């Protein structure tokens, strides 16, 4: 009708008032069910096949002509397409009537209009899904129906958008500046803080980049600029692949190289903007695909005014916050729904480091393979090359250009690093050149190995014999070097040896890097009154652990893998399940001081409600380990030994005596997602335990206790669903109002 109206002047007034179209499972590319419908019509007593139904079949020439004409005239329209997500069931009687068989293109449980057909895939089109089969796409149960509200919100958004200036008419480019214009109404948070709240990001997104760029030596990484593959990638040549994959051995300086590229893109006069992410093995949240997408969306919004506006509008109209959403939802709503539909003459550059450390690297590769964007997106991936990644890239990103970082590439950079470091360690003399030569002969292109070797020399530089002995003792390769570091820890006296093992266990098993103050409290049950924990770590941990910005972390992700997987035959052994058990117990013991935490939580709530300034308010900062214990005790429990009946008893006792107080603390922390995640962790532990018990020759005597823990997990989820809003508004109310409403035999 719109096409006909465009070509007939008598309908000009009508066409001029059409500004948007919303499609509900419209078969733009046909449906496999069209032939089935004609068979039904033929089988009816008075019916016959219809030509207009045949034109709805897949690859219909009529539909192709309509789509081609519409594409050329719809540029001024807002387009929104909904697709169905539930398969439509064909009744047994109809299947019998039409002679249904399993070789048909559609099945008895098929979508009448699949997603590929329901979306036009035009630039600027917004797409979403409804939880309905084809019959239910325009039939809503009541005004509370989620599908009804989704469609209503879209119509409301279109109405509001069309009565004000159309932001699509703004001329824009991707720039390095922050969004401009009067975006903050009086009393509103700054745009950046609003975006961070919507996307669920509380950290400084530049911190990881700064940690790596400050280790860049002047003049390093220049070899990359000579690589033709990189020159093509950064020049945005239209005939080249948009994805470049750089791989190298552990410790080859890939993260430093990534920071160099990011800095280069941000400082030099390249068109476009750069978004980046570092997958960090020691920070579980940053290893997830969902966090990467939220991080990239935040950076893009801070560089792209129109995208920022659309993202804020999406939140305003739907109320969606993305902090706890799944990656697929974020990808669909933010990237496919907004970013990829905004045309621009300037490209985006994405730099993702540590792909092999991602929680689900193959899923990221699959997402990248789905990019259909109006703006060109060039992606740089850096990682080790393992079998799974090589297979995934080959299968899903076959046009990717793969370049290997060799020892020769890093040779000049490593030499400069060694020379500058030796000059700081040793007085100037002729021996420096010999030492530099010895180190470089064993380096094999590994910055990490060189760094650890230099630490050994720094500890043993007093005489030339000391230096020679240290160089002789340093084995080549990371595995042998790590083993030697373990042996040096084991050779210490008993007390520092035990202390080092405990520190390594905490740092290797922690969900995220602990602060020095947090770790000091975590170690208190065994070791107290450190004169300087930071200095102690440097002295006794064999250079496995580094302290940076008051955060304690392992020197490299390969160190974590070594400590947790390869120490069973060494004099220092870290067993992950035992380590997690110890940490879970420390966390719950810390939270079990009921009188202390009741007072503290009461003061916190009073201060929060009265908006007392942070200078004199009781806050989580006064209890450095509290946030970690509240949030992650159940995570460590889920990974602890399932053989220990004592541990199960300890956790049940904690829940029986302290659960409501724990919920009180979590509510003050402001995220009830911690409760649901903890409940899931309890169920994970029970599943692992059930698998273990099934292999035992003798039955367990604690199965009833297992069922009690399962009931706790279920009740925690129920409390969130039933009382979540009330608890957030008044955390202390959990002690007064939750228990009377809970089911019998629950908390």
């Amino acid at each position: 009708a719109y096409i006909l109206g465009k070509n007939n002047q008598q309908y000009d007034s009508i066409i001029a008032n059409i500004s948007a179209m919303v499609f509900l499972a419209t078969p733009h590319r046909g449906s496999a069910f069209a032939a089935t419908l004609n068979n039904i019509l033929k089988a009816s007593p008075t019916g016959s096949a219809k030509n207009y139904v045949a034109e709805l079949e897949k690859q219909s020439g009529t539909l192709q002509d309509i789509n081609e004409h519409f594409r050329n005239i719809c540029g001024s329209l807002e387009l929104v397409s909904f697709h169905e997500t539930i398969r439509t069931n064909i009744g047994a009687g109809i299947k019998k009537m039409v002679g249904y068989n399993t070789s048909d293109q559609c099945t008895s449980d098929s979508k009448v209009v699949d997603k590929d057909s329901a979306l036009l895939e035009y630039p600027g089109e917004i797409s979403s899904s409804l939880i309905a089969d084809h019959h239910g796409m325009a039939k809503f149960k009541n005004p509370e129906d989620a599908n009804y509200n989704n469609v209503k919100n879209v119509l409301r958004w279109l109405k509001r958008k069309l009565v004000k200036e159309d932001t699509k008419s703004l001329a824009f480019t991707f720039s390095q500046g922050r969004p401009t214009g009067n975006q903050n109404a009086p009393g509103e948070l700054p745009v950046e803080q609003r975006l961070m709240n919507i996307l669920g990001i509380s950290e400084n997104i530049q911190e990881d980049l700064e940690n790596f760029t400050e280790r860049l030596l002047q003049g390093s990484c220049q070899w990359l600029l000579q690589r033709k593959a990189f020159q093509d990638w950064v020049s945005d040549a239209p005939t080249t692949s948009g994805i470049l994959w750089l791989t190298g051995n552990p410790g080859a300086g890939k993260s430093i190289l990534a920071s160099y590229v990011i800095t280069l893109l941000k400082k030099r006069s390249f068109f476009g903007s750069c978004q980046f992410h570092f997958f960090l093995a020691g920070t579980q949240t940053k290893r997830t695909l969902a966090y990467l997408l939220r991080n990239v969306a935040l950076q893009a919004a801070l560089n792209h005014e129109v995208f920022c506006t659309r993202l804020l509008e999406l939140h305003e109209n739907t109320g969606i916050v993305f902090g706890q959403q799944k990656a697929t939802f974020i990808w669909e709503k933010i990237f496919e729904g907004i970013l990829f539909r905004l045309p621009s003459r300037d490209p985006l550059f994405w730099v993702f480091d540590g792909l092999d450390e991602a929680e689900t690297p193959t899923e990221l590769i699959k997402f990248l393979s789905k990019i259909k964007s109006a703006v060109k997106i060039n992606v740089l991936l850096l990682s080790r090359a393992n079998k799974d990644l090589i297979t995934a890239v080959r299968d899903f990103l076959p046009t990717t250009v793969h370049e290997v970082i060799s020892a020769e590439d890093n040779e000049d950079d490593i030499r400069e690093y060694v020379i500058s470091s030796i000059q700081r360690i040793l007085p100037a003399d002729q021996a420096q050149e010999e030492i530099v030569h010895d180190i470089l002969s064993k380096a094999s292109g590994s910055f990490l190995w060189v760094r650890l070797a230099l630490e050994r020399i720094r500890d043993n530089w007093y005489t030339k014999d000391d230096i020679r002995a240290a160089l002789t003792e340093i084995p080549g390769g990371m595995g042998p070097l790590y083993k030697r570091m373990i042996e040096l820890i084991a050779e210490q006296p008993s007390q520092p040896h035990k202390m080092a093992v405990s520190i390594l266990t905490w740092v290797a098993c922690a969900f995220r890097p602990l602060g020095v103050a947090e770790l000091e409290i975590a170690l208190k049950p065994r070791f107290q009154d450190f004169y300087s924990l930071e200095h102690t770590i440097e002295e006794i941990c064999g250079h496995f652990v580094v302290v940076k910005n008051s955060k304690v972390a392992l020197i490299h992700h390969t160190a974590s893998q070594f400590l947790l997987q390869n120490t069973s035959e060494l004099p220092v052994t870290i067993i992950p399940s035992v380590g997690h058990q110890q940490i879970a117990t420390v966390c719950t013991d810390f939270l079990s001081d009921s009188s202390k935490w009741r007072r503290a939580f009461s003061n916190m709530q009073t201060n929060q409600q009265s908006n007392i300034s942070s200078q004199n308010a009781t806050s989580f900062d006064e209890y450095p380990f509290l946030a970690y214990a509240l949030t992650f005790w159940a995570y460590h429990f889920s990974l602890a030994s399932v053989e220990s009946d004592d541990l199960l008893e300890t956790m049940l006792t904690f829940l029986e005596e302290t659960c409501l107080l724990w919920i009180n603390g979590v509510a003050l922390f402001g995220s009830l997602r911690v409760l649901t995640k903890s409940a899931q962790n309890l169920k994970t532990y029970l599943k692992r335990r059930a698998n273990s018990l099934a292999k035992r020759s003798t039955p367990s005597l604690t199965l009833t206790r297992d069922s009690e823990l399962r009931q706790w997990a279920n009740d925690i989820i129920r409390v969130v669903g039933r009382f979540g809003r009330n608890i957030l508004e008044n955390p202390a109310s959990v002690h007064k109002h939750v228990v009377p409403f809970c089911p019998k035999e629950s908390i």
Side-chain angles (χ1 to χ4, degrees):
Y2 188 79
I3 294 172
L4 294 175
K6 272 283 193 178
N7 295 315
N8 192 326
Q9 291 183 352
Q10 66 177 318
Y11 300 119
D12 283 352
S13 60
I14 297 176
I15 296 300
N17 285 289
I18 298 176
S19 300
M21 289 190 185
V22 178
F23 298 100
L24 301 175
T26 305
H28 300 294
R29 294 175 183 79
S31 169
F33 272 85
T36 302
L37 177 57
N38 257 336
N39 288 338
I40 293 172
L41 293 173
K42 289 178 185 178
S44 63
T46 60
S48 61
K50 305 295 184 183
N51 290 333
Y52 66 82
V53 175
E55 290 172 351
L56 293 177
E57 293 182 8
K58 290 278 190 179
Q59 309 302 323
S60 161
T62 300
L63 289 179
Q64 291 177 7
D65 289 343
I66 291 173
N67 290 336
E68 190 60 35
H69 285 131
F70 188 59
R71 180 191 299 273
N72 294 326
I73 63 174
C74 70
S76 62
L77 298 178
E78 290 287 343
L79 302 176
V80 181
S81 300
F82 287 98
H83 62 88
E84 61 205 69
T85 56
I86 298 177
R87 300 177 185 277
T88 300
N89 183 56
I90 300 179
I94 292 178
K95 287 190 284 185
K96 184 176 180 180
M97 182 190 302
V98 301
Y100 169 82
N101 63 75
T102 55
S103 64
D104 286 348
Q105 193 174 4
C106 58
T107 70
S108 61
D109 293 320
S110 295
K111 296 174 186 173
V112 174
V113 179
D114 57 35
K115 181 178 179 180
D116 289 340
S117 182
L119 304 186
L120 288 163
E121 296 185 348
Y122 293 173
E125 178 192 18
I126 296 172
S127 65
S128 187
S129 60
L130 296 181
I131 304 174
D133 62 11
H134 195 69
H135 298 306
M137 289 297 291
K139 296 178 181 179
F140 309 115
K141 298 177 182 177
N142 51 56
E144 285 70 45
D145 190 329
N147 291 336
Y148 171 79
N149 283 301
N150 284 340
V151 176
K152 182 181 73 173
N153 286 336
V154 164
L155 295 175
R156 178 185 294 151
W157 172 71
L158 288 171
K159 177 186 174 183
R160 294 178 59 185
K161 182 176 181 59
L162 296 173
V163 297
K164 63 183 180 180
E165 182 182 5
D166 184 3
T167 57
K168 288 183 70 176
S169 66
L170 296 175
F172 65 91
T173 60
F174 290 100
S175 65
Q176 297 303 320
R178 291 287 191 261
T180 59
N182 185 18
Q183 303 220 14
N184 295 331
E188 279 190 331
L189 292 172
V191 170
E192 183 169 356
Q193 187 59 55
R194 290 163 61 194
L195 290 169
M196 292 177 72
N197 292 343
I198 292 168
L199 295 167
I201 292 180
S202 57
E203 304 88 354
N204 176 6
I205 59 175
Q206 299 295 326
E207 184 177 1
D208 294 333
L209 175 62
E210 292 166 359
N211 288 339
F212 289 115
T213 52
E214 68 182 26
R215 288 156 53 186
L216 264 173
L217 291 177
Q218 186 174 3
S220 61
C221 301
Q222 296 295 310
W223 61 268
L224 183 62
L225 301 181
Q226 309 306 316
R227 288 283 184 93
K228 184 178 185 304
F230 181 76
Q231 293 172 356
D232 291 341
W233 179 81
V234 83
S235 67
D236 191 32
T239 58
T240 62
S241 171
I243 301 181
L244 175 61
W245 184 27
L246 297 178
T247 61
N249 291 327
K254 297 183 291 296
S255 297
I256 302 295
L257 187 63
S259 69
Y260 170 77
V261 173
I262 296 164
T263 304
L264 182 72
L265 291 169
K266 287 179 175 290
K267 287 186 176 180
R268 293 184 61 177
S269 56
F270 293 110
F271 291 109
S273 69
C274 174
Q275 291 79 48
F276 61 88
H277 183 76
F278 293 89
F279 289 106
L280 301 177
T283 307
Q284 298 299 325
T285 301
K286 292 184 179 180
R287 295 180 60 230
T288 64
L289 179 53
Y291 188 94
L292 173 140
L293 295 177
R294 291 187 279 122
N295 187 9
V296 170
L298 175 60
Q299 295 176 60
L302 293 175
N303 285 323
H304 182 340
E305 187 170 356
V306 176
F307 175 57
C308 175
T309 300
R310 295 289 181 88
L311 185 54
L312 292 172
E313 286 178 348
L314 174 65
H315 170 69
E316 181 182 349
N317 294 324
T318 65
I320 296 174
V321 291
F322 294 91
Q324 304 299 335
Q325 301 290 352
K326 293 183 178 179
T328 304
F329 183 85
I330 299 169
W331 180 263
E332 180 179 313
K333 293 293 183 182
I334 296 180
F335 289 84
E336 292 183 337
I338 304 177
L339 183 61
F340 295 164
R341 302 181 184 281
L342 296 176
S344 172
R345 59 179 176 270
D346 298 330
L348 293 177
F349 292 93
W350 289 354
V351 180
F352 301 151
D353 174 63
L355 178 62
D356 51 309
E357 293 302 318
E359 189 174 74
T360 53
T362 301
E363 290 304 307
L364 173 56
I365 291 171
K366 290 180 181 178
F367 273 41
L368 295 177
S369 71
K370 298 176 184 178
I371 292 178
K372 294 180 180 178
S373 175
V375 58
K376 180 71 184 298
I377 299 177
N378 290 357
V379 183
L380 174 62
L381 304 172
L382 299 97
S383 72
R384 290 175 290 177
N386 59 44
K387 181 180 178 182
D388 291 340
L389 282 180
I390 292 172
T391 301
V393 170
R394 182 193 63 208
D395 291 346
F396 297 103
L397 297 172
T399 62
T400 296
V401 176
H402 182 193
E403 293 280 312
V404 178
I405 302 171
S406 67
E408 290 74 21
D409 292 326
N410 282 335
E411 187 174 0
D412 291 340
D413 291 348
I414 290 178
R415 179 180 291 107
E416 290 301 317
Y417 175 51
V418 172
I419 291 173
S420 63
S421 299
I422 290 295
Q423 288 174 347
R424 290 195 298 270
I425 296 172
L426 301 178
D429 63 21
Q430 294 180 346
Q432 286 187 2
E433 186 175 343
E434 179 183 349
I435 295 169
V436 169
H437 179 269
D438 286 345
I439 293 175
L440 292 176
S441 66
K442 295 182 178 181
S444 300
S446 173
F447 277 97
L448 178 59
W449 186 94
V450 169
R451 180 180 175 183
L452 293 171
L454 290 169
E455 294 287 350
R456 291 284 296 129
I457 293 173
R458 186 177 286 109
D459 294 341
N460 299 273
W461 66 272
Y462 306 106
T463 70
K464 292 182 179 180
D465 288 339
D466 291 335
I467 295 173
R468 292 192 189 97
L471 287 171
T472 302
E473 290 177 1
I474 300 171
M478 291 310 305
L481 179 55
Y482 283 151
K483 289 180 181 178
R484 180 56 186 152
M485 290 161 64
I486 286 287
E487 291 168 356
L488 292 173
I489 292 173
E491 291 170 4
Q492 297 177 118
S494 175
Q495 183 72 352
H497 175 191
K498 293 178 182 178
M499 203 177 290
V501 173
S502 187
I503 292 171
L504 289 175
T505 300
W506 271 95
V507 178
C509 295
F511 185 88
R512 58 161 173 78
L514 292 164
V516 174
E518 288 180 307
L519 182 58
E520 187 164 355
I521 293 173
L523 294 171
K524 264 190 176 180
R526 297 187 64 190
F527 311 103
Q528 300 184 16
D529 300 325
F530 287 97
Y531 179 75
S532 170
L533 179 57
E534 184 171 345
H535 180 72
T536 301
I537 290 171
E538 293 174 354
E539 289 291 320
I540 69 173
C541 290
H543 302 299
F544 273 107
V545 181
V546 294
V547 180
K548 182 74 173 178
N549 297 328
S550 297
K551 298 287 186 181
V552 185
L554 292 171
I555 191 170
H556 195 261
H557 60 80
T558 55
S560 174
Q561 296 169 350
F562 177 84
L563 290 171
L564 296 176
Q565 300 174 13
N566 300 314
T567 60
S568 58
E569 304 298 326
L570 297 178
V572 172
T573 300
I574 297 176
I575 302 172
S577 61
V578 175
H580 285 293
Q581 178 173 333
Q582 293 171 353
I583 295 174
T585 303
V586 169
C587 289
T588 53
D589 287 348
F590 179 78
L591 296 172
S592 296
D593 189 342
S594 299
S595 59
K596 172 184 176 180
W597 295 123
R598 277 185 181 274
R599 290 192 303 271
F601 293 164
S602 177
N603 290 336
M604 288 182 189
Q605 183 166 337
T606 300
N607 293 336
Q608 287 180 4
Q609 291 174 346
S610 58
N611 294 319
I612 296 176
S613 108
S614 60
Q615 292 182 348
N616 57 9
T618 303
S619 68
F620 280 88
D621 293 338
E622 294 186 32
Y623 305 97
F625 187 60
L626 177 58
Y628 190 92
L630 286 169
T631 307
F632 299 120
W633 70 266
Y635 162 77
H636 292 290
F637 176 55
S638 72
L639 298 173
S641 172
V642 294
E643 306 298 328
S644 173
D645 293 340
D646 290 341
L647 176 64
L648 178 60
E649 293 288 339
T650 299
M651 292 298 125
L652 285 169
T653 300
F654 167 73
L655 289 169
E656 289 162 3
E657 297 178 355
T658 320
C659 181
L660 295 181
L661 193 62
W662 166 59
I663 295 174
N664 189 169
V666 170
L668 284 167
F669 197 57
S671 175
L672 295 187
R673 171 69 176 170
V674 171
L675 299 181
T676 56
K677 185 63 179 176
S678 297
Q680 292 167 4
N681 286 329
L682 297 183
K683 292 182 177 181
T684 298
Y685 174 86
L686 287 169
K687 184 175 181 180
R688 291 179 55 236
R689 184 171 166 82
N691 292 336
S692 175
L693 293 177
K695 299 175 183 178
R696 289 187 186 179
S697 56
T698 57
S700 171
L701 301 178
T702 63
L703 287 178
T704 56
R705 303 295 276 166
D706 289 23
S707 64
E708 287 180 42
L709 186 63
R710 184 172 292 104
Q711 182 65 45
W712 276 105
N714 293 334
D715 285 348
I716 290 168
I717 293 174
R718 289 171 185 161
V719 166
V720 174
R722 180 74 180 274
F723 305 104
R725 181 176 298 178
N726 305 84
I727 294 171
L728 281 176
E729 291 177 354
N730 180 11
S733 67
V734 70
H735 300 284
K736 299 178 181 179
H737 304 306
V738 170
V739 175
F741 292 97
C742 286
K744 293 181 179 179
E745 300 181 356
S746 72
I747 64 173

